[in-house]
């Protein structure tokens, strides 16, 4: 699919990132920042899912505390607690009756069954798998070096914050009835609810003047 514009987006390494973030992969060229230090309480190891009580957060536990200021590629995942089992249970509980849950969940279980050592590798492999389901070409590009001063006329820098990323479209949600649409959820929410048509909702904001 052709990109909507020639803008380059620099993003942090992300874990099951939001629908809003994945719209950027259709819009322009996305680069992962490979030379930063880990930042706590961020999308690097956190995401949000839907539930009948509203959005619920989930985070990957890390070895040696929060690893703040450690090079992102050196941050290790902790398996002291069976968080993979907790994640699968969370998805089964909240998405088990969604239209495309069975279509993706088995592959997802295989992906998370290898107990990868480093957060970067888990996020990379998960991201590439998601992109294969969304028909996103060239899904994984990284920065060549650290560049603090970005030319903001051609690059949008989301390394520090992604809160400004917004879309204008909603999509059918399993837990949306009577509660309104919940935005800023993991892209898995979109896949489980919309399946192969997910790319329509990821590209449609641009057709109506996405900013």
């Amino acid at each position: 699919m052709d990109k909507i514009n020639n803008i380059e987006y620099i993003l942090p390494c992300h874990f099951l990132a939001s629908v809003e973030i994945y719209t950027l992969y259709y819009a322009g060229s996305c680069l992962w920042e490979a030379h930063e230090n880990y930042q706590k309480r961020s999308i690097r190891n956190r995401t949000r899912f839907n539930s009948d009580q509203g959005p619920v957060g989930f985070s990957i536990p890390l070895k040696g505390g929060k690893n703040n200021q450690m090079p992102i590629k050196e941050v290790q995942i902790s398996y002291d607690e069976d968080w993979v089992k907790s994640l699968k249970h969370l998805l089964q509980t909240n998405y088990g009756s969604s239209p495309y849950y069975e279509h993706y969940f088995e592959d997802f279980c295989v992906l998370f069954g290898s107990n990868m050592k480093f957060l970067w590798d888990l996020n990379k492999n998960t991201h590439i798998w998601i992109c294969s389901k969304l028909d996103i070409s060239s899904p994984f590009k990284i920065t060549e070096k650290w560049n603090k001063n970005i030319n903001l006329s051609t690059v949008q820098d989301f390394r520090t914050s992604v809160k400004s990323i917004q879309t204008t479209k909603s999509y059918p949600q399993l837990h949306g009835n009577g509660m309104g649409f919940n935005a800023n959820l993991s892209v898995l929410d979109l896949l489980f609810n919309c399946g192969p048509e997910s790319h329509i909702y990821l590209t449609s904001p641009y057709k109506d003047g996405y900013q």
Side-chain angles (χ1 to χ4, degrees):
M1 180 178 292
D2 293 335
K3 302 298 183 180
I4 304 299
N5 57 53
N6 295 320
I7 293 177
E8 206 169 65
Y9 302 95
I10 299 185
L11 299 165
C13 158
H14 49 69
F15 169 62
L16 295 176
S18 69
V19 173
E20 286 77 3
I21 288 174
Y22 273 94
T23 61
L24 301 182
Y25 286 90
Y26 291 91
S29 178
C30 293
L31 300 177
W32 280 28
E33 179 52 72
H35 304 280
E36 66 170 1
N37 291 333
Y38 173 79
Q39 296 181 34
K40 61 183 180 180
R41 291 191 290 274
S42 72
I43 64 171
R44 292 160 183 82
N45 72 319
R46 294 188 175 203
T47 190
R48 298 198 318 158
F49 301 109
N50 216 355
S51 77
D52 58 3
Q53 301 298 314
V56 56
F58 187 89
S59 61
I60 297 178
L62 305 175
K63 273 192 174 182
K66 296 298 184 181
N67 294 287
N68 206 32
Q69 300 308 310
M70 177 181 288
I72 187 63
K73 289 187 175 181
E74 297 178 15
V75 175
Q76 296 186 36
I77 299 169
S78 172
Y79 293 95
D80 291 343
E81 297 181 9
D82 196 348
W83 63 266
V84 175
K85 181 179 179 180
S86 298
L87 175 58
K88 291 177 182 178
H89 177 72
L90 186 154
L91 295 177
Q92 288 171 339
T93 300
N94 295 305
Y95 293 103
S97 58
S98 60
Y100 294 95
Y101 173 80
E102 296 292 341
H103 188 73
Y104 297 110
F105 187 68
E106 186 175 342
D107 280 354
F108 183 83
C109 288
V110 172
L111 188 67
F112 275 77
S114 56
N115 285 13
M116 293 181 194
K117 181 178 181 179
F118 293 101
L119 179 67
W120 174 273
D121 294 333
L122 176 63
N123 287 355
K124 172 186 175 182
N125 287 4
T126 305
H127 169 69
I128 291 174
W129 176 79
I130 289 170
C131 288
S132 72
K133 306 306 177 185
L134 297 175
D135 197 26
I136 295 175
S137 59
S138 303
F140 188 72
K141 298 178 181 179
I142 65 174
T143 57
E144 296 181 355
K145 62 181 180 179
W146 173 256
N147 186 355
K148 181 179 180 180
N149 300 311
I150 299 293
N151 182 353
L152 297 180
S153 64
T154 58
V155 177
Q156 291 194 23
D157 186 357
F158 292 113
R159 293 175 296 183
T160 302
S161 176
V162 296
K163 292 182 179 179
S164 60
I165 302 175
Q166 298 180 353
T167 61
T168 59
K169 292 287 186 178
S170 62
Y171 56 87
Q173 287 181 330
L174 181 65
H175 301 291
N177 293 338
M179 297 174 59
F181 178 77
N182 288 319
N184 200 32
L185 299 177
S186 169
V187 70
L188 283 185
D189 184 77
L190 176 65
L191 283 171
F192 286 149
N193 283 295
C194 299
E197 293 185 352
S198 294
H199 71 280
I200 296 174
Y201 296 93
L202 288 167
T203 57
S204 60
Y206 304 103
K207 297 175 183 176
D208 288 350
Y210 172 82
Q211 298 295 326

